């Protein structure tokens, strides 16, 4: 696969009938749910699942999505979605990039970047990342 960056974390997806909108292709909101699924699975792989977020009273919350929809996905398409952690300040903010590919023809259907801010779950307010986030997310930073 021709990924934009080296060493992606990748999940496999299949476009289901319920993902299709009135225009006959996967709805744009479905793509956002796929981004979330991929980010969560990557976090879980790094040892930072929902239980750990709750234990630490911290979470990475989305503050911005930038999405370029490049081509449509259709019912039955087998897709691969990759993510990379590309930036973080080791305090509050972290950024992930995404690339969605249809392996059957090599088409990139979407490129996106999501910015997250660390919040305290109990208050919902921005709060510095705990050491566990630095230890978990740090080694996954692209180029580290």
């Amino acid at each position: 696969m021709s990924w934009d960056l080296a060493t992606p974390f990748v999940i496999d997806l299949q476009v289901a009938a319920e993902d299709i909108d009135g225009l006959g292709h996967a709805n744009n909101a479905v793509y956002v749910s796929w981004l979330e699924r991929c980010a969560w699975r990557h976090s879980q792989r790094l040892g930072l699942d929902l239980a750990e977020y709750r234990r630490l009273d911290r979470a990475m919350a989305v503050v911005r999505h930038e999405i370029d929809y490049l081509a449509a996905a259709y019912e039955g398409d087998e897709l691969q979605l990759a993510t990379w952690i590309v930036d973080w300040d080791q305090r509050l903010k972290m950024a992930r990039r995404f690339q969605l590919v249809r392996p059957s023809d090599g088409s990139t259907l979407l490129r996106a970047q999501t910015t997250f801010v660390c919040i305290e779950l109990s208050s919902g307010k921005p709060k510095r990342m705990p050491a566990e986030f630095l230890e978990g997310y740090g080694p996954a930073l692209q180029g580290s």
Side-chain angles (χ1 to χ4, degrees), residues 18-140:
E18 60 268 16
D19 298 331
I20 304 303
D21 64 17
L23 300 178
H25 55 72
N27 186 273
N28 63 298
V30 172
Y31 288 83
V32 174
S33 72
W34 291 340
L35 298 179
E36 178 186 28
R37 183 183 315 167
C38 188
W40 263 117
R41 287 194 185 157
H42 189 215
S43 289
Q44 291 166 342
R45 172 76 53 87
L46 297 172
L48 295 165
D49 60 11
L50 193 54
E52 185 68 352
Y53 274 19
R54 288 181 178 140
R55 184 184 75 78
L56 296 168
D57 192 29
R58 296 289 188 284
M60 297 305 297
V62 172
V63 293
R64 181 180 175 90
H65 284 301
E66 299 170 68
I67 301 172
D68 293 316
Y69 297 96
L70 305 171
Y74 300 96
E75 185 176 349
D77 279 354
E78 301 279 344
L79 308 175
Q80 290 190 309
L81 180 58
T83 190
W84 302 264
I85 297 173
V86 294
D87 191 28
W88 72 331
D89 63 9
Q90 299 185 28
R91 295 183 312 277
L92 291 174
K93 286 190 176 183
M94 180 174 76
R96 285 183 175 277
R97 279 183 51 187
F98 298 89
Q99 180 184 2
L100 181 66
V101 172
R102 184 173 42 230
S104 66
D105 63 6
S107 296
T108 293
L109 308 183
L110 170 146
R111 286 190 174 91
Q113 182 161 313
T114 299
T115 304
F116 298 83
V117 169
C118 186
I119 62 167
E120 182 179 57
L121 286 171
S122 59
S123 70
K125 295 184 179 181
K127 198 76 161 191
R128 190 176 187 93
M129 290 181 198
E132 291 88 344
F133 279 25
L134 302 180
E135 294 160 7
Y137 289 122

